[in-house]
Amino acid sequence: MVITIVLFPFPLQGHINSMLQLARILHSLGFNISIVHTQRNSPNPHNFPHFTFNSFPDGLLETEHASESDLLAFIMRLNVSCIVPFRDCLQKVSSNDSEDRVACLITDAVWYFSQAVADELKIPRIVLRCTSISSISAFSALSALREKGCLPIKDSEVDKAVPEVLPLKMKDLPVVHEKNPEDLQQILANTGRETRASAGLISNSSEELEGTKLAGAQEAIPIPFFVIGPFHKYFPASSSSLLVQDMSSISWLNKQKPESVIYVSLGSIASIDEAKFQEIAWGLANSEQPFLWVVRPGSICGSDWLEHLPSVFLEMLYGKGHIVKWAPQQEVLAHQAIGGFWTHCGWNSTLESICEGVPMICMPSFGDQKVNARYVSDFWRVGLHLEDKLERGEIERAIRRLMADPEGEAIRDRAVRLKDKVDQCFKEGGSSYRSLDSLTGFLSSL
Ligand code: UDX
């Protein structure tokens, strides 16, 4: 009898990528894969012919999007509107499966409502955390810090170290600037409680990267942990991209010198204002370093795409810069022309860069990105942190430091050594190899 596992991704790009990569890993181990998903941001079933896909309408209006400014409200609304349609869908999937047994449900941690549904249908639930282990600890520390009166962060304390979660400083705590700060407390409380009630936690990280942080996270969440990442390294890149990836990125990179290009992308949610956009553009141009820049439509407040870039900007680049709406990021980072990644430090982007040995310039926006950025710059020391005001002169200097200075050379060496270290985790006896083995045994025993 084949064992079926039902996976339920949260409908945001970074979260969908991790869940579908996990699905591919489990499928390769012989499990049957059934994906239950919202019709919103649906993955393309044609790219995963071996999986069964079951979708349901999430009950929100088409116009209700997950933007940086109301992400938490979006998460909370979905956790209410999906209860009934998800339960109906899961019930159908589990009763349809006449020959194969549904052994468990794996959901994104953010789907905290799904624990009650799993309990009701008597299906064990395992949680996927799409963030780093260090972020789990940082999120867990927030309520105690709030009780101690440390939150909201005081201007005079932004650079103060946080002893509970070193090497983080107060300004790195994963708070989100929201209209309703209580929303974050509510989501963290719900996510924490329902994760502790689940049968186990799967992490897209590796002990080679965050082994020293694992015990602390497990203390906060005393359930079995399976640290089996980085997921994307198990297979060549697969497409769970919600936007069309512009392949001219690769043909343009083919014409550039090895390690000469800085790749710039701020992920799928972060947005910037027009003034910052102009500083980035001029900082890139003035650095005189070739660049590949992803400007996601809608990511600049108040404009559709590049209409506010003066035409003189593009003319003065003389082909040194290439701007696309969305890139095949994994292939880009693996390209020999790439010498650095200016990133918002989403966890997927951070892992993808580490796994290619590409040093980073960190410009985190919100939430766990700030934790990841501090780890990149101060813990693994494989990148620079753009901490001061975003200004073209600072940007130009940071790019030169990373791409042309001896300091950048040292950072690059460390990035290559970190990549080699992470490569070990998949080999026999490596931490992710062993943990995947335990996960297989665990799933088979359910
Ligand atoms: C969100 C949060 O912002 C992040 O902090 C959290 O850790 C996961 O969820 P996102 O902002 O999209 O994710 O960032 P990230 O985690 O880096 O995921 C983006 C994904 O989109 C990556 O897998 C990346 O390869 C892909 N991508 C990005 C593309 O395929 N093309 C692009 O042009 C840019």
Side-chain angles (χ1 to χ4, degrees):
M1 182 170 61
V2 182
I3 297 175
T4 296
I5 297 177
V6 179
L7 296 97
F8 180 31
F10 195 76
L12 294 176
Q13 182 69 77
H15 295 249
I16 291 173
N17 285 2
S18 314
M19 189 62 92
L20 285 165
Q21 287 158 1
L22 174 63
R24 286 184 77 192
I25 297 169
L26 297 177
H27 182 260
S28 74
L29 295 169
F31 296 105
N32 228 1
I33 299 298
S34 179
I35 307 286
V36 169
H37 63 96
T38 59
Q39 285 167 2
R40 175 190 303 271
N41 289 344
S42 163
N44 184 350
H46 298 297
N47 293 334
F48 302 92
H50 305 300
F51 303 167
T52 315
F53 286 83
N54 305 274
S55 68
F56 63 86
D58 62 27
L60 299 190
L61 299 173
E62 279 282 311
T63 47
E64 294 182 83
H65 291 300
S67 66
E68 189 180 329
S69 60
D70 66 1
L71 182 60
L72 299 184
F74 177 76
I75 291 174
M76 291 177 84
R77 285 199 302 274
L78 276 183
N79 267 281
V80 174
S81 68
C82 288
I83 298 175
V84 174
F86 171 74
R87 186 181 48 213
D88 292 349
C89 193
L90 182 60
Q91 200 156 28
K92 212 169 80 203
V93 170
S94 45
S95 54
N96 264 356
D97 238 67
S98 45
E99 280 174 33
D100 304 330
R101 181 173 65 86
V102 171
C104 83
L105 166 70
I106 301 180
T107 86
D108 197 298
V110 175
W111 282 131
Y112 48 80
F113 85 88
S114 63
Q115 183 62 45
V117 176
D119 288 343
E120 185 191 326
L121 299 182
K122 300 197 169 29
I123 301 174
R125 168 178 178 251
I126 294 178
V127 164
L128 167 64
R129 280 301 291 238
C130 297
T131 58
S132 65
I133 294 169
S134 318
S135 301
I136 299 179
S137 304
F139 278 117
S140 304
L142 287 183
S143 73
L145 288 167
R146 188 167 284 108
E147 274 167 32
K148 275 169 61 183
C150 303
L151 295 177
I153 303 166
K154 299 172 192 71
D155 284 347
S156 58
E157 295 192 344
V158 287
D159 284 311
K160 215 171 125 186
V162 189
E164 293 86 345
V165 281
L166 289 174
L168 301 187
K169 302 178 183 182
M170 288 301 287
K171 64 182 172 189
D172 305 322
L173 289 173
V175 289
V176 180
H177 300 293
E178 274 278 327
K179 292 167 198 146
N180 276 328
E182 307 77 45
D183 285 357
L184 179 61
Q185 293 173 49
Q186 187 69 55
I187 290 176
L188 290 179
N190 292 349
T191 305
R193 187 186 60 245
E194 302 306 339
T195 299
R196 283 190 294 277
S198 74
L201 182 150
I202 299 175
S203 160
N204 186 11
S205 188
S206 87
E207 286 187 33
E208 278 72 2
L209 275 178
E210 300 194 277
T212 55
K213 306 292 161 184
L214 189 54
Q218 277 185 307
E219 206 172 294
I221 308 174
I223 55 174
F225 269 47
F226 303 96
V227 183
I228 62 167
F231 296 170
H232 75 281
K233 284 305 281 181
Y234 285 82
F235 304 102
S238 61
S239 191
S240 49
S241 186
L242 298 170
L243 299 173
V244 177
Q245 298 177 318
D246 187 335
M247 296 312 284
S248 72
S249 311
I250 302 297
S251 43
W252 183 82
L253 284 174
N254 288 342
K255 294 186 215 124
Q256 310 303 319
K257 294 198 186 98
E259 294 185 356
S260 67
V261 176
I262 177 106
Y263 168 59
V264 188
S265 166
L266 304 180
S268 68
I269 306 169
S271 54
I272 48 172
D273 60 28
E274 182 57 43
K276 282 188 180 155
F277 176 66
Q278 294 287 339
E279 294 307 309
I280 294 175
W282 288 107
L284 281 169
N286 296 344
S287 76
E288 295 182 354
Q289 200 71 37
F291 64 85
L292 172 62
W293 185 11
V294 175
V295 180
R296 199 185 77 248
S299 63
I300 309 150
C301 307
S303 64
D304 288 333
W305 198 42
L306 304 178
E307 64 271 22
H308 291 142
L309 266 189
S311 51
V312 63
F313 174 84
L314 296 169
E315 282 158 21
M316 66 165 277
L317 292 177
Y318 304 114
K320 267 207 155 185
H322 188 60
I323 305 179
V324 295
K325 293 181 174 169
W326 196 244
Q329 181 163 300
Q330 284 187 46
E331 289 93 323
V332 164
L333 287 169
H335 198 286
Q336 55 155 357
I338 293 294
F341 182 13
W342 176 354
T343 170
H344 71 308
C345 292
W347 185 233
N348 292 292
S349 295
T350 305
L351 284 177
E352 289 161 12
S353 200
I354 287 175
C355 288
E356 297 303 335
V358 174
M360 288 168 254
I361 295 179
C362 306
M363 191 178 84
S365 197
F366 63 90
D368 66 314
Q369 299 162 13
K370 296 194 280 178
V371 176
N372 303 335
R374 183 62 59 202
Y375 272 75
V376 167
S377 62
D378 290 24
F379 188 73
W380 301 305
R381 298 171 59 228
V382 294
L384 299 172
H385 201 315
L386 274 182
E387 304 201 51
D388 300 325
K389 191 169 171 288
L390 195 68
E391 184 272 321
R392 60 191 74 184
E394 280 297 318
I395 293 170
E396 185 188 330
R397 273 189 292 283
I399 295 174
R400 286 184 200 276
R401 274 170 68 200
L402 189 76
M403 304 293 283
D405 287 0
E407 181 191 4
E409 219 23 71
I411 296 175
R412 189 176 313 281
D413 284 349
R414 282 195 292 275
V416 171
R417 283 205 298 276
L418 186 63
K419 170 201 180 320
D420 292 343
K421 193 173 164 195
V422 174
D423 279 347
Q424 298 306 314
C425 72
F426 301 108
K427 307 228 162 93
E428 199 169 341
S431 67
S432 298
Y433 180 96
R434 281 183 280 115
S435 203
L436 186 59
D437 210 33
S438 332
L439 176 63
T440 312
F442 186 74
L443 292 173
S444 307
S445 72
L446 290 171

